[in-house]
C-alpha cells in the first residue's frame, strides 16, 4: 500500500509539473503571436542590414525552443534571407549590407548561387556591400566575393581549393556482420545503392559526378572572376596551389581580398560609407529584424509558394533519413488539394528541394499536381536538388525553373533488399525450418537470399516502375519515350544541362518562377504567400520532446555523425521504406 501511494504521489507531481511547463510555453506562444502580429519594425534613416553568415542555411529554417541544446550553430532559411535582401533593396532608408562571415555551410551550391544572385541584384540598385571575416570558407567566400570590398582579419585565412566528391562504401563493413544488399535497379547511372552494394564508384557514376562537380565549379569560377576581376585561369591556379594556407599579403596580391583589418576598423569603413562621424552609432538590422519590416509588395492576387523539401515518403513509412524535413505524400496531397479549391489562390509555385525517395509517394504527388493543373497554373522552382523522385513530382507542371547548379533528372528507380541470413545463421547461430502451402509462400524470408526466380519477379516489378516514370516525364515534357530514354537511365544533370535536354524550361530564381506563374495566371498585380505554415513554438516543443523530425536530438546526431548520418539512418529505417525508391545518392560530400 505504501508503494502504491508513492506511485500516486509521483504521478500527481509529474502532472502538475507538466501542466506548469505547458502553461509557461503556452503563454510564451501567446505573447509571441501578439508581438509578431503587431510589431512592424521601423527603419531608421541611413541603416545597414547585417547578414551574419554562420551556422547553416537550409531551404526553410525553423528555430526550436530547445535548439540551444544542439551542438550545431544557428540555422537560417534561404527563404527568409532572400526576403530580407529584397526588402533591403527596396527600402530607401537602408543604404547597404554588411556581410559578417563565419563558419558557415549550405545544403548546396545552388542555394549559395541563389543568395549570391540576390546580393548582386541588390548592388545593381546602387547600394553597397562590405564583407568581413576572421576566416572565409570556400562557400562564404563565393558569397562575399560579390561585395564591393572584401576584408579579412590580419591573421585570417581564405579557403580556396576547388570541389571534390568522396562517396563512402559500406559493402565490406556490412559483410563483417554477415549482411549484404540484394539490388534490383533500372538505369546505368542510378548510383544511389552503390554505397551498399559496391566498394568503389562505377564508371557511369564517376562520369556523371565528374560532369556535375566540374559544372558547379565552372559556375563558381565564372561568378568570382566577374566580381573580383581575376581570370578563371588564375583562380584555378590559386586552387591548385592551396591558397588556403597563404598569408594575407599574398591574398591581397592575388586580388582575392581588398585589405586586412580588425573588427573595430571595419566599423570605421562602414561609417565612412554611411557618411557619419566616428562617434555615431550604426543603425543595424539583422535578418530577424527584416522579417518585421513592412513589405510594400502585398497588393494584388495571391500566388502560393509551396515548399516541398526533404525525402519523399508515403505517410507511415519514413524516408531514407527518419529525421529532418520530409515530403509526406499524404500531407502534401491534402495541401495541394486545398490550394486547388482556394479561390483566393490564383497560381501555385512548387519549390522543390529533394533528392527523391519513395516512387509510390512520388506518383501520388504527381497525380495531385495533375488535378491542380486543371484548375490553376503550377510552376516548379528547383532548389539545390530536384532529382529522381524530386523530378518525378516536378515533370507534370506547366513550367519548370531551375538554378544553373541544381542537381536534377536522375530518371531511374531501384529496389534494395537486405539479406541478413549470414548474420542470423553464421554469426548468431539462428536455425530455420520451413513448412509452406505454395511454391513462393516463403518469399521475403530472412533465412536465405532471394533465388533467381524471385529476383526475376523483382526485376520485372522495378522495370514496370521505370517505364511508368519515363512515361510521366515524356507526357509532362511533351517528349517521346525514346527521347526521354536518351537522357534517363538514372543520369544526374546540372540545371544548365537539363535545360539543353528539355528537362527544364528556364534557368532562374524563385522570383522568376513566381513571375512565370503570374504570367500564366494573367495577373498584373500579385503577392506571394508561403505554404505549408511553420509550426508554432508549442508544436515544435512537443515534436522535440517526442523525438520527431527536426528535434534537437536529431540536430546533435547530425553534427556528431557528419556524412555518416544519412547512410546510417537509411540502414536503421530500411524495413520501413517502400520497395521502389527513386532517389539520387547523398550529396553532402561535395566539398
Amino acid at each position: 500500500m505504501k508503494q502504491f501511494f508513492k506511485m500516486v504521489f509521483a504521478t500527481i507531481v509529474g502532472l502538475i509539473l507538466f501542466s506548469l511547463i505547458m502553461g509557461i510555453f503556452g503563454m510564451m506562444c501567446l505573447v509571441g503571436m501578439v508581438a509578431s502580429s503587431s510589431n512592424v519594425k521601423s527603419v531608421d534613416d541611413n541603416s545597414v542590414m547585417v547578414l551574419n553568415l554562420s551556422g547553416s542555411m537550409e531551404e526553410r529554417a525553423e528555430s526550436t525552443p530547445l535548439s540551444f541544446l544542439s551542438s550545431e550553430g544557428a540555422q537560417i532559411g534561404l527563404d527568409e534571407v532572400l526576403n530580407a535582401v529584397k526588402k533591403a533593396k527596396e527600402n530607401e532608408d537602408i543604404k547597404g549590407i554588411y556581410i559578417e562571415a563565419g563558419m558557415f555551410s549550405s545544403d548546396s551550391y545552388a542555394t549559395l548561387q541563389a543568395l549570391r544572385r540576390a546580393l548582386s541584384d541588390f548592388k545593381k540598385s546602387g547600394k553597397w556591400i562590405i564583407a568581413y571575416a576572421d576566416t572565409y570558407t570556400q562557400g562564404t567566400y563565393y558569397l562575399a566575393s560579390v561585395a564591393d570590398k572584401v576584408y579579412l582579419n590580419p591573421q585570417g585565412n581564405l579557403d580556396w581549393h576547388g570541389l571534390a566528391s568522396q562517396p563512402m562504401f559500406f559493402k565490406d563493413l556490412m559483410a563483417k556482420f554477415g549482411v549484404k544488399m540484394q539490388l534490383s535497379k533500372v538505369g546505368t547511372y542510378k548510383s544511389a545503392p552503390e554505397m551498399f552494394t559496391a566498394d568503389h564508384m562505377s564508371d557511369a557514376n564517376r562520369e556523371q559526378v565528374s560532369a556535375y562537380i566540374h559544372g558547379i565549379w565552372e559556375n563558381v569560377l565564372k561568378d568570382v572572376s566577374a566580381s573580383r576581376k581575376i581570370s578563371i585561369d588564375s583562380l584555378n591556379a590559386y586552387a591548385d596551389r592551396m591558397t588556403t594556407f597563404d598569408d594575407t599579403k599574398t591574398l591581397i596580391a592575388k586580388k582575392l581580398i581588398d585589405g586586412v583589418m580588425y573588427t573595430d576598423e571595419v566599423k570605421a569603413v562602414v561609417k565612412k560609407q554611411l557618411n557619419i562621424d566616428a562617434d555615431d552609432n550604426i543603425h543595424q538590422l539583422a535578418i530577424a529584424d527584416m522579417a518585421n519590416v513592412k513589405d510594400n509588395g502585398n497588393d494584388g492576387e495571391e500566388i502560393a509558394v509551396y515548399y516541398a523539401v526533404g525525402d519523399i515518403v508515403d505517410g507511415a513509412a519514413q524516408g531514407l533519413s527518419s529525421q529532418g524535413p520530409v515530403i509526406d505524400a499524404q500531407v502534401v496531397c491534402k495541401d495541394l488539394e486545398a490550394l486547388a479549391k482556394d479561390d483566393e489562390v490564383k497560381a501555385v509555385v512548387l519549390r522543390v528541394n529533394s533528392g527523391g525517395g519513395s516512387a509510390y509517394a512520388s506518383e501520388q504527388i504527381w497525380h495531385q499536381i495533375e488535378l491542380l493543373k486543371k484548375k490553376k497554373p503550377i510552376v516548379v522552382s528547383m532548389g539545390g536538388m530536384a532529382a529522381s523522385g524530386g523530378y518525378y513530382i516536378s515533370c507534370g507542371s506547366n513550367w519548370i525553373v531551375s538554378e544553373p547548379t541544381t542537381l536534377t533528372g536522375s530518371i531511374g528507380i531501384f529496389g534494395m533488399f537486405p539479406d541478413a541470413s549470414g548474420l542470423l545463421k553464421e554469426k548468431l547461430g539462428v536455425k530455420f525450418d520451413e513448412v509452406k502451402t505454395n511454391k513462393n509462400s516463403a518469399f521475403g524470408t530472412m533465412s536465405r537470399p532471394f533465388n533467381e526466380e524471385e529476383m526475376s519477379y523483382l526485376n520485372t516489378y522495378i522495370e514496370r516502375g521505370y517505364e511508368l516514370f519515363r512515361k510521366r516525364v515524356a507526357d509532362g515534357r511533351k517528349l517521346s519515350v525514346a527521347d526521354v530514354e536518351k537522357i534517363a537511365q538514372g543520369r544526374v544533370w546540372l540545371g544548365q544541362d537539363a535545360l539543353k535536354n528539355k528537362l527544364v524550361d528556364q534557368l532562374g530564381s524563385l522570383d522568376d518562377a513566381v513571375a512565370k506563374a503570374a504570367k500564366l495566371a494573367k495577373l498584373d498585380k500579385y503577392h506571394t504567400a508561403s505554404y505549408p505554415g511553420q509550426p508554432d513554438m508549442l508544436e515544435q516543443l512537443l515534436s522535440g520532446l517526442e523525438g520527431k523530425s527536426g528535434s534537437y536530438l536529431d540536430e546533435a546526431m547530425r553534427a556528431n555523425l557528419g556524412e555518416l548520418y544519412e547512410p546510417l539512418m537509411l540502414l536503421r529505417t530500411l524495413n520501413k521504406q517502400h520497395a521502389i525508391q527513386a532517389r539520387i545518392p547523398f550529396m553532402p560530400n561535395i566539398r
Side-chain angles (χ1 to χ4, degrees):
M1 183 63 70
K2 182 177 180 181
Q3 186 66 26
F4 171 77
F5 282 115
K6 282 184 178 180
M7 293 177 63
V8 171
F9 179 74
T11 302
I12 293 173
V13 171
L15 288 172
I16 293 173
L17 289 174
F18 180 78
S19 300
L20 181 62
I21 292 171
M22 290 299 102
I24 292 172
F25 274 102
M27 184 63 68
M28 289 172 64
C29 291
L30 181 61
V31 171
M33 286 187 288
V34 172
S36 62
S37 62
S38 61
N39 184 22
V40 176
K41 180 77 175 178
S42 61
V43 180
D44 295 318
D45 184 31
N46 223 19
S47 292
V48 175
M49 190 189 93
V50 178
L51 178 53
N52 189 334
L53 296 178
S54 61
S56 63
M57 182 163 65
E58 309 290 341
E59 189 69 45
R60 295 181 88 188
E62 57 183 52
S63 58
T64 68
L66 299 175
S67 59
F68 64 90
L69 293 174
S70 172
S71 57
E72 285 189 308
Q75 189 184 83
I76 57 176
L78 175 64
D79 56 341
E80 60 184 345
V81 179
L82 293 180
N83 187 48
V85 173
K86 184 178 180 180
K87 286 182 180 179
K89 173 190 172 184
E90 297 170 351
N91 193 301
E92 61 183 15
D93 293 320
I94 298 176
K95 307 302 182 184
I97 291 177
Y98 171 60
I99 298 176
E100 188 169 66
M103 297 307 295
F104 176 73
S105 64
S106 169
D107 61 354
S108 70
Y109 268 91
T111 295
L112 296 176
Q113 192 172 39
L115 177 52
R116 197 181 192 280
R117 184 192 299 111
L119 293 170
S120 179
D121 185 59
F122 175 87
K123 281 180 60 179
K124 290 176 183 177
S125 67
K127 300 184 179 185
W128 49 265
I129 301 176
I130 302 294
Y132 177 79
D134 289 327
T135 180
Y136 286 106
T137 65
Q138 187 164 266
T140 53
Y141 182 72
Y142 174 57
L143 290 175
S145 64
V146 77
D148 297 276
K149 296 293 181 181
V150 179
Y151 296 109
L152 181 64
N153 183 298
Q155 302 304 317
N157 63 355
L158 188 158
D159 187 18
W160 186 255
H161 60 269
L163 299 179
S165 178
Q166 293 182 320
M168 294 177 287
F169 299 92
F170 296 90
K171 176 185 174 183
D172 292 345
L173 173 63
M174 293 190 302
K176 294 180 185 297
F177 297 93
V179 178
K180 62 181 180 180
M181 289 294 181
Q182 303 167 101
L183 174 65
S184 177
K185 72 164 187 170
V186 180
T188 303
Y189 295 90
K190 200 67 184 174
S191 58
E194 282 186 1
M195 68 167 64
F196 302 109
T197 61
D199 55 13
H200 63 279
M201 297 174 75
S202 64
D203 291 341
N205 190 29
R206 187 176 298 278
E207 175 190 346
Q208 71 175 350
V209 173
S210 178
Y212 67 65
I213 68 169
H214 278 88
I216 293 171
W217 183 238
E218 287 168 5
N219 275 268
V220 172
L221 290 171
K222 181 181 66 175
D223 291 342
V224 174
S225 175
S227 295
R228 298 299 303 170
K229 305 296 187 292
I230 305 171
S231 72
I232 288 176
D233 287 343
S234 294
L235 288 172
N236 266 320
Y238 297 162
D240 289 339
R241 296 169 191 164
M242 290 298 290
T243 294
T244 305
F245 300 108
D246 281 349
D247 59 36
T248 52
K249 289 182 180 179
T250 304
L251 295 176
I252 294 173
K254 290 178 175 178
K255 299 182 180 179
L256 290 169
I257 61 173
D258 296 293
V260 296
M261 57 185 64
Y262 293 99
T263 307
D264 59 314
E265 296 171 314
V266 178
K267 290 180 181 178
V269 172
V270 173
K271 288 180 180 181
K272 185 176 180 180
Q273 288 288 140
L274 294 170
N275 294 316
I276 61 177
D277 295 334
D279 295 333
D280 291 340
N281 291 323
I282 300 173
H283 299 303
Q284 304 177 44
L285 295 108
I287 298 299
D289 297 322
M290 294 301 298
N292 294 319
V293 171
K294 185 178 179 181
D295 188 348
N296 297 321
N298 280 331
D299 297 330
E301 303 287 359
E302 179 180 324
I303 295 177
V305 178
Y306 191 93
Y307 286 85
V309 180
D311 290 330
I312 300 175
V313 302
D314 45 4
Q318 291 296 301
L320 296 189
S321 165
S322 64
Q323 307 290 335
V326 295
I327 303 171
D328 185 333
Q330 293 184 14
V331 174
V332 172
C333 288
K334 289 178 182 177
D335 289 345
L336 293 180
E337 182 181 13
L339 291 175
K341 294 178 180 178
D342 190 340
D343 294 333
E344 298 297 318
V345 175
K346 304 304 180 183
V348 176
V349 172
L350 183 67
R351 175 67 173 184
V352 179
N353 196 342
S354 172
S358 166
Y360 170 80
S362 300
E363 170 73 8
Q364 291 283 8
I365 297 173
W366 171 89
H367 173 69
Q368 197 62 50
I369 288 173
E370 289 295 301
L371 297 178
L372 172 61
K373 194 167 60 171
K374 293 177 181 178
K375 295 188 175 182
K376 57 195 67 173
I378 178 165
V379 174
V380 165
S381 169
M382 293 180 168
M385 292 186 289
S388 204
Y391 189 75
Y392 199 130
I393 67 175
S394 303
C395 66
S397 61
N398 296 103
W399 194 261
I400 300 177
V401 181
S402 167
E403 292 286 348
T405 54
T406 295
L407 296 179
T408 188
S410 191
I411 303 164
I413 63 174
F414 67 89
M416 193 163 57
F417 312 91
D419 169 23
S421 59
L423 170 63
L424 295 171
K425 297 166 72 173
E426 298 173 18
K427 305 292 184 180
L428 301 179
V430 177
K431 305 298 182 183
F432 293 88
D433 208 337
E434 184 175 282
V435 175
K436 61 183 181 181
T437 61
N438 296 88
K439 180 180 179 181
N440 294 309
S441 295
F443 176 77
T445 176
M446 294 188 296
S447 67
R448 58 171 175 79
F450 292 127
N451 59 41
E452 185 175 340
E453 181 180 1
E454 289 168 335
M455 282 303 301
S456 70
Y457 290 136
L458 288 171
N459 289 333
T460 301
Y461 179 49
I462 298 297
E463 181 68 40
R464 188 165 64 246
Y466 175 64
E467 290 175 359
L468 179 62
F469 190 173
R470 199 172 51 185
K471 185 177 187 305
R472 297 299 187 222
V473 175
D475 292 344
R477 302 303 302 164
K478 296 179 174 56
L479 298 169
S480 68
V481 172
D483 286 337
V484 173
E485 178 64 12
K486 293 175 184 177
I487 52 177
Q489 287 291 316
R491 177 69 184 262
V492 178
W493 301 98
L494 280 184
Q496 61 193 24
D497 298 318
L499 179 65
K500 300 172 187 175
N501 292 325
K502 300 182 180 180
L503 290 174
V504 305
D505 299 292
Q506 178 184 349
L507 298 181
S509 65
L510 176 59
D511 284 344
D512 293 324
V514 171
K516 182 64 180 182
K519 183 177 181 180
L520 292 175
K522 300 178 180 179
L523 305 177
D524 294 325
K525 292 185 177 181
Y526 57 89
H527 68 277
T528 61
S530 297
Y531 297 86
Q534 296 279 33
D536 60 34
M537 186 181 293
L538 185 57
E539 290 174 325
Q540 293 177 40
L541 173 68
L542 292 175
S543 176
L545 290 175
E546 294 170 8
K548 293 182 179 178
S549 65
S551 74
Y552 64 92
L553 293 176
D554 175 56
E555 292 172 10
M557 286 178 65
R558 281 183 179 274
N560 292 323
L561 292 174
E563 293 179 7
L564 290 171
Y565 173 83
E566 289 189 326
L568 288 177
M569 288 301 104
L570 166 59
L571 289 173
R572 177 189 171 200
T573 62
L574 199 60
N575 64 327
K576 297 180 182 179
Q577 297 162 39
H578 195 265
I580 301 181
Q581 291 287 317
R583 68 142 42 245
I584 60 175
F586 302 116
M587 289 294 111
N589 54 14
I590 299 179
R591 304 180 186 280

